[in-house]
Amino acid sequence: MAAPLELSCWGGGWGLPSVHSESLVVMAYAKFSGAPLKVNVIDNTWRGSRGDVPVLTTEDNFVSQPAKILNFLRKQKYNADYELSARQGADTLAYIALLEEKLLPAVLHTFWVESDNYFTVTKPWFASRIPFPLSLILPGRMSKGALNRILLTRGEPPLYHLREVEAQIYRDAKECLNLLSNRLGTSQFFFGDTPSTLDAYVFGFLAPLYKVRFPKVQLQEHLKQLSNLCRFCDDILNSYFRHSLGDG
């Protein structure tokens, strides 16, 4: 009998099984590949000391970071890319790199750096899932980590020049969304009728942006104009997560 697979991740809200992009990537891939994950949603009894989830644990393995978790699942024969050609596999890697370079900084900024969003939505939501006294410390640490990650992708030293790069961050993100919309077209998924790794990443990055209700929504407004990407998110939620949705 195979060792049980347990995923520790941030939980859901606003009709999502998780509001955290990297947790969503892993959850979606597991659904697509048939991996039998037991999901452990972080709540205020959580014993972790940092926000570095998702984490996959088995009897003798401890794996963090989405790319490493997905590679581990593939080695366990849970492969959502089995039918992809070599060219489609190469395209997958290129699009994931594009997502992480062009879209992720704007997603992080929307959640963790834009002050109205952070203080009215992000900080209260995450703090309510973290035990006291870490709930007073960890959201701020996660915000600083997001800011450093944004500036690192821009080739900027940490904690400098955010205003100078902010406009470019959102321009890049909107261009990335347009490219994804054009690539998806009228298809159900990015490589036809079957979801793959790329669909898991796009869903993980887009769904929180699409569903979480923020006071500052410039990127969300742009996404909602791209109806095929919204339909893509809704279809995955309805087909794979109908019985595990959280409330906002």
Side-chain angles (χ1 to χ4, degrees):
M1 182 177 176
L5 302 172
E6 296 193 9
L7 182 72
S8 297
C9 62
W10 295 107
W14 296 278
L16 298 171
S18 175
V19 304
H20 180 241
S21 285
E22 294 182 332
S23 296
L24 268 186
V25 169
V26 176
M27 294 169 77
Y29 183 87
K31 293 285 189 181
F32 299 163
S33 64
L37 289 189
K38 177 185 177 184
V39 176
N40 297 321
V41 171
I42 289 172
D43 59 22
N44 59 14
T45 65
W46 180 45
R47 297 181 182 276
S49 61
R50 294 177 296 170
D52 53 355
V53 292
V55 173
L56 183 73
T57 56
T58 69
E59 288 180 348
D60 52 7
N61 284 282
F62 178 93
V63 190
S64 62
Q65 301 176 16
K68 293 180 180 178
I69 293 173
L70 268 54
N71 283 335
F72 177 86
L73 293 176
R74 291 187 195 102
K75 291 177 182 176
Q76 305 302 307
K77 310 301 184 187
Y78 300 112
N79 189 351
D81 298 344
Y82 182 74
E83 297 182 359
L84 296 189
S85 67
R87 172 64 185 272
Q88 289 170 330
D91 285 350
T92 295
L93 295 177
Y95 273 98
I96 290 172
L98 181 74
L99 286 165
E100 292 181 338
E101 180 184 352
K102 301 295 188 183
L103 185 58
L104 181 59
V107 174
L108 292 172
H109 190 279
T110 297
F111 271 81
W112 292 101
V113 181
E114 168 55 59
S115 60
D116 286 353
N117 294 345
Y118 174 71
F119 286 108
T120 63
V121 176
T122 309
K123 182 180 179 180
W125 190 94
F126 279 87
S128 71
R129 272 89 178 156
I130 300 169
F132 181 86
L134 272 178
S135 57
L136 303 179
I137 302 165
L138 189 54
R141 188 182 300 167
M142 292 168 72
S143 177
K144 290 177 183 177
L147 176 59
N148 288 346
R149 192 167 173 184
I150 289 168
L151 294 173
L152 188 63
T153 66
R154 312 308 305 181
E156 299 286 338
L159 304 180
Y160 293 101
H161 311 306
L162 180 64
R163 290 295 174 189
E164 296 175 19
V165 301
E166 187 175 309
Q168 186 63 47
I169 286 171
Y170 282 97
R171 280 196 297 272
D172 287 349
K174 289 173 182 178
E175 289 177 5
C176 184
L177 291 176
N178 292 342
L179 184 65
L180 291 172
S181 178
N182 290 334
R183 176 64 182 79
L184 180 63
T186 58
S187 299
Q188 183 176 8
F189 301 109
F190 279 87
F191 296 115
D193 298 328
T194 305
S196 65
T197 295
L198 179 57
D199 298 283
Y201 269 89
V202 174
F203 173 73
F205 282 39
L206 294 191
L209 199 61
Y210 173 40
K211 292 291 188 179
V212 177
R213 292 188 287 273
F214 288 116
K216 293 291 182 67
V217 294
Q218 62 165 310
L219 194 56
Q220 188 178 72
E221 288 176 343
H222 187 80
L223 173 58
K224 288 185 175 181
Q225 294 171 10
L226 303 171
S227 59
N228 62 338
L229 294 181
C230 297
R231 185 268 309 158
F232 169 84
C233 292
D234 287 330
D235 284 353
I236 290 175
L237 288 168
N238 291 330
S239 297
Y240 294 95
F241 293 103
R242 188 177 300 172
H243 303 297
S244 58
L245 299 182
D247 297 320

